[in-house]
Amino acid sequence: MSKSKTEQVKPNQSNLVTFLLIIIVVGLFFLLMDEYEKKPLQADVYIQAGHEGRLVGNTGSVSAYGREIDWTKIVADEATRILRNAGVRVIRAPADQKRESVVLLALSIHFDGAKKACSTGASIGLNNASDRNAARAWKRIYRTVFPFKWMPDNFSKNLKYYYNYRYTLASDAELVLELGEMSCPEQARWMKPRLKKLGALVAYFAAQRVGASGVEKPVF
Ligand SMILES: [Zn+2]
């Protein structure tokens, strides 16, 4: 009788030990994953496609010519492809990567939408005086091809207090590039067939900033 009792207890105990071990291993796994997530990413250039990956919240502008969320992806992908071909390390981020990135240059690609069509144009967002040099350089480049108006730097709250600045630590600059107003028919008609070229221009600019050679300026 007593012998059979001890025989019954043993398997229960080993089940409990196995169960606890599994809990510990799973717990450790999630702890390590969490630490890994917190580790900053490092590269030369960070390129974010504005609004990419969002189904709710600020999903970007929409006009008769397309959706901002689709346009930013085309520009960011083309810029990334060209830069990587030139040996530049690129972090290609969606709207909500929420992970710190340490880079030389961080760029967030957007297109503006305005309630009153054609009231805006191209613009730049920045949050530090040290970003101004790169901002001026981008304006010099984009002014030569973009045949519409420019808004002052940080003309909107979304540019001045861009939510993603906190995730990018850039030694050269972190900029939001609004490439034009897609709710303005003239601007949208000019931009839509040139989205890949805009990506090539962003790549050219980024390559210049990080000192990479072999990225040509696209002809518009
Ligand atoms: Zn946007």
Side-chain angles (χ1 to χ4, degrees), residues 50-51 58-61 68 72 109-113 158 162 176 178:
H51 311 279
N58 185 354
T59 53
S61 302
E68 182 186 2
T72 59
I109 307 297
H110 284 265
F111 293 88
D112 211 355
N158 274 344
Y162 191 58
V176 180
E178 293 269 10

Side-chain angles (χ1 to χ4, degrees), residues 15-16 22 36 39 41 52 59 80 90 99 103 108 180 187:
N15 277 350
L16 185 67
I22 288 170
Y36 175 75
K39 224 177 116 201
L41 296 169
E52 186 185 35
T59 53
T80 301
V90 180
R99 182 152 169 207
V103 290
S108 295
Q187 294 185 39

Side-chain angles (χ1 to χ4, degrees), residues 41 43-49 83 88-93 99-110 124-127 131 134-135 138 162 164-177 202 205-206 209-210:
L41 296 169
D44 301 312
V45 179
Y46 173 100
I47 298 180
Q48 180 194 48
L83 286 169
V88 178
R89 295 174 306 152
V90 180
I91 295 167
R92 172 62 181 85
R99 182 152 169 207
E100 198 179 338
S101 292
V102 180
V103 290
L104 303 174
L105 178 70
L107 302 172
S108 295
I109 307 297
H110 284 265
I124 293 181
L126 49 91
N127 76 334
D131 299 330
W138 169 248
Y162 191 58
N164 205 61
Y165 289 140
R166 85 181 83 149
Y167 295 111
T168 52
L169 197 68
S171 51
D172 180 27
E174 40 194 357
L175 303 173
V176 180
L177 304 182
V202 169
F205 165 66
R209 297 306 299 179
V210 303

Side-chain angles (χ1 to χ4, degrees), residues 149-167:
K149 71 172 163 183
W150 282 75
M151 302 304 286
D153 294 352
N154 286 344
F155 85 98
S156 70
K157 275 188 178 168
N158 274 344
L159 290 175
K160 192 172 184 184
Y161 304 109
Y162 191 58
Y163 73 98
N164 205 61
Y165 289 140
R166 85 181 83 149
Y167 295 111

Side-chain angles (χ1 to χ4, degrees), residues 10-217:
K10 267 187 184 166
N12 281 348
Q13 273 180 337
S14 75
N15 277 350
L16 185 67
V17 169
T18 309
F19 179 71
L20 285 174
L21 273 175
I22 288 170
I23 294 281
I24 288 164
V25 168
V26 168
L28 276 175
F29 175 76
F30 279 107
L31 263 176
L32 283 172
M33 283 294 288
D34 206 40
E35 282 307 306
Y36 175 75
E37 296 265 312
K38 280 181 206 152
K39 224 177 116 201
L41 296 169
Q42 281 191 315
D44 301 312
V45 179
Y46 173 100
I47 298 180
Q48 180 194 48
H51 311 279
E52 186 185 35
R54 285 199 185 144
L55 299 171
V56 291
N58 185 354
T59 53
S61 302
V62 179
S63 85
Y65 301 89
R67 301 190 308 159
E68 182 186 2
I69 199 169
D70 298 326
W71 287 21
T72 59
K73 184 183 185 314
I74 294 169
V75 174
D77 282 348
E78 181 68 358
T80 301
R81 185 187 69 79
I82 292 168
L83 286 169
R84 284 182 180 157
N85 275 348
V88 178
R89 295 174 306 152
V90 180
I91 295 167
R92 172 62 181 85
D96 296 300
Q97 182 150 281
K98 291 184 177 165
R99 182 152 169 207
E100 198 179 338
S101 292
V102 180
V103 290
L104 303 174
L105 178 70
L107 302 172
S108 295
I109 307 297
H110 284 265
F111 293 88
D112 211 355
K115 273 185 188 145
K116 189 169 169 282
C118 306
S119 59
T120 71
S123 59
I124 293 181
L126 49 91
N127 76 334
N128 204 301
S130 61
D131 299 330
R132 296 208 178 277
N133 192 16
R136 273 194 295 270
W138 169 248
K139 266 184 268 188
R140 269 199 302 274
I141 290 173
Y142 198 32
R143 272 216 174 102
T144 62
V145 296
F146 184 70
F148 306 98
K149 71 172 163 183
W150 282 75
M151 302 304 286
D153 294 352
N154 286 344
F155 85 98
S156 70
K157 275 188 178 168
N158 274 344
L159 290 175
K160 192 172 184 184
Y161 304 109
Y162 191 58
Y163 73 98
N164 205 61
Y165 289 140
R166 85 181 83 149
Y167 295 111
T168 52
L169 197 68
S171 51
D172 180 27
E174 40 194 357
L175 303 173
V176 180
L177 304 182
E178 293 269 10
L179 299 176
E181 190 205 301
M182 64 186 303
S183 47
C184 178
E186 293 98 307
Q187 294 185 39
R189 276 198 293 266
W190 181 85
M191 292 186 288
K192 192 173 181 171
R194 293 176 176 82
L195 293 173
K196 279 201 169 184
K197 267 190 187 170
L198 292 176
L201 197 67
V202 169
Y204 170 74
F205 165 66
Q208 287 216 320
R209 297 306 299 179
V210 303
S213 56
V215 178
E216 296 291 313
K217 189 176 179 182

